[in-house]
Amino acid sequence: MTQVEIGRGKSGRRAYALDEIGIVPSRRTRDPEEVSISWQIDAYRFDSPLVASPMDSVVSPQTAIEIGRLGGLGVLDLEGLWTRYEDPAPLLEEVATLDREAATRRLQEIYTAPIKDELIGRRIEEIRAAGVTTAVRLSPQRTVQHHKAVIDAGVDIFVIRGTTVSAEHVSGRAEPLNLKQFIYELDVPVIVGGCATYTAALHLMRTGAAGVLVGFGGGASHTTRNVLGVVVPMATAISDVAAARRDYMDESGGRYVHVIADGGMGGSGDIAKAIACGADAVMVGSPLARASEAPGRGFHWGSEAHHPELPRGKRVEFGTIGTLREILHGPSSLADGSMNLLGALRRTMATAGYSDLKEFQRVEVVVAPPQR
């Protein structure tokens, strides 16, 4: 691929964000009602490819249940308030009233409470009892410590998610998580990430993961680019990881690993473009943080916002625009792509002439200057 000269001593690839590409309709169109947006990973089938991001402002046990009933998958953060406190409702109310300047410090204080295995089991059982697919998230650093409580509680899908997750973490301080051995010993499908390059994704696929998260998560609430200088635009990242999926299928004799775009999708058009670039599903946070049922009460933050030493996220105010059902399935009262996300995806696919998600991954895209 063509390298761009940055200076005499450094060059790099030109990469593209989702708002820099556009979807090109084909020669035929379809009725949106005849388009399938169902998605299946391992033995679990969903009516839509939407995964709710494991953030306390988005997913509580109750919203995980509601998202499951609406055809998606809610992932509960097991390092969040729901596994640290018996009743986090007063703390969630407090976070929604904090001054901007005080928010980060107070979040750091709130999240110093220890994670309790008893609460992990209780939250998982609460979601399972509702009859929806149960998915939870731990970071690589906490997985060894708490995974037994997760498995004993009967989780369906295990998500190991960090800002950047590699199959080869080097540490002289502690024994790192051996992803390949860990995944091999589990009886449940594992989704792991984030990653943003072909090589990193290929190594994660070789661990036996059922799915790989693309991106660094967080999206609108992330400050990783400002704090660490780390960024790979999502359109390029998804396309690179999709290429790794294709090559890994050849290498493994046909094993398919799902590519899940994680973060940076603020509206329905971004979701469609992520799938057009090769994603099988999308993990979103900020669109769902606007729901009236969202535990963040119109505010949004991720686990990076309360890191005790180097926060790489912030609490963002979005307000509320409607119910979870309206945001996912409509009807929409707004014309900005923030409501009826799944109806918009169906219409995009129908306009481009494709009948299911795998077909839609082949749609033509163009580079288009972002709208101002």
Side-chain angles (χ1 to χ4, degrees):
M1 187 172 289
T2 304
Q3 296 283 308
V4 177
E5 184 179 284
I6 297 169
R8 293 194 179 189
K10 182 68 71 173
S11 61
R13 280 198 300 153
R14 172 69 166 94
Y16 297 95
L18 291 173
D19 65 357
E20 293 180 282
I21 68 166
I23 293 169
V24 180
S26 66
R27 62 181 177 85
R28 68 164 61 92
T29 57
R30 295 182 182 274
D31 186 328
E33 296 303 317
E34 297 177 3
V35 170
S36 170
I37 58 170
S38 64
W39 171 59
Q40 181 168 339
I41 182 169
D42 203 82
Y44 303 98
R45 186 175 180 84
F46 305 93
D47 293 337
S48 76
L50 187 136
V51 182
S53 184
M55 295 175 162
D56 277 345
S57 56
V58 176
V59 180
S60 66
Q62 281 305 312
T63 56
I65 291 167
E66 181 64 12
I67 289 164
R69 289 171 175 166
L70 292 171
L73 175 66
V75 182
L76 185 69
D77 184 8
L78 294 184
E79 298 176 29
L81 298 178
W82 301 96
T83 57
R84 298 175 191 262
Y85 298 93
E86 290 277 349
D87 179 15
L91 292 170
L92 290 165
E93 291 177 5
E94 179 189 349
V95 171
T97 64
L98 293 173
D99 294 333
R100 182 179 301 178
E101 294 74 17
T104 297
R105 184 176 297 278
R106 182 57 181 146
L107 284 171
Q108 289 174 314
E109 293 171 352
I110 291 171
Y111 283 88
T112 57
I115 298 167
K116 302 178 179 68
D117 282 353
E118 176 191 349
L119 287 177
I120 288 177
R122 194 185 307 173
R123 303 310 185 198
I124 292 174
E125 289 167 7
E126 184 178 343
I127 300 171
R128 279 180 57 84
V132 301
T133 303
T134 307
V136 297
R137 171 263 179 187
L138 284 171
S139 65
Q141 295 84 356
R142 303 268 193 175
T143 294
V144 173
Q145 181 180 358
H146 296 292
H147 79 275
K148 189 175 186 304
V150 174
I151 300 304
D152 288 349
V155 74
D156 296 316
I157 298 175
F158 197 153
V159 179
I160 301 175
R161 179 182 186 256
T163 301
T164 304
V165 177
S166 69
E168 185 178 349
H169 178 67
V170 179
S171 175
R173 296 184 301 170
E175 185 68 25
L177 174 66
N178 185 324
L179 273 174
K180 189 170 186 178
Q181 179 181 343
F182 179 80
I183 292 173
Y184 176 77
E185 293 174 352
L186 289 184
D187 291 329
V188 301
V190 176
I191 296 171
V192 63
C195 68
T197 67
Y198 172 94
T199 302
L202 193 59
H203 281 281
L204 288 178
M205 291 172 184
R206 289 169 178 162
T207 66
V212 170
L213 298 171
V214 185
F216 303 125
S221 66
H222 233 266
T223 60
T224 299
R225 180 172 186 167
N226 296 334
V227 176
L228 300 182
V230 173
V231 61
V232 180
M234 281 296 284
T236 295
I238 296 167
S239 300
D240 283 351
V241 176
R245 175 187 60 203
R246 177 198 63 211
D247 292 348
Y248 178 70
M249 281 188 67
D250 292 339
E251 173 188 304
S252 63
R255 184 172 180 271
Y256 190 91
V257 179
H258 292 259
V259 172
I260 303 170
D262 180 11
M265 289 161 287
S268 54
D270 294 330
I271 292 172
K273 287 188 280 187
I275 295 172
C277 286
D280 297 288
V282 296
M283 178 176 276
V284 299
S286 60
L288 304 182
R290 296 180 172 95
S292 55
E293 305 98 319
R297 294 162 172 77
F299 288 85
H300 184 46
W301 68 93
S303 59
E304 300 82 8
H306 53 78
H307 192 281
E309 299 168 359
L310 189 65
R312 301 179 301 281
K314 58 185 177 181
R315 187 202 60 165
V316 181
E317 183 175 6
F318 284 124
T320 58
I321 58 174
T323 65
L324 274 171
R325 177 174 291 277
E326 289 169 336
I327 289 173
L328 293 179
H329 296 291
S332 173
S333 58
L334 299 170
D336 59 1
S338 59
M339 299 182 74
N340 198 1
L341 303 178
L342 300 176
L345 175 60
R346 285 181 183 275
R347 188 164 294 275
T348 301
M349 293 170 60
T351 300
Y354 293 88
S355 60
D356 60 47
L357 295 174
K358 290 306 299 178
E359 280 191 0
F360 186 57
Q361 289 174 346
R362 301 197 298 267
V363 69
E364 181 184 354
V365 299
V366 295
V367 177
Q371 290 181 325
R372 300 300 181 189

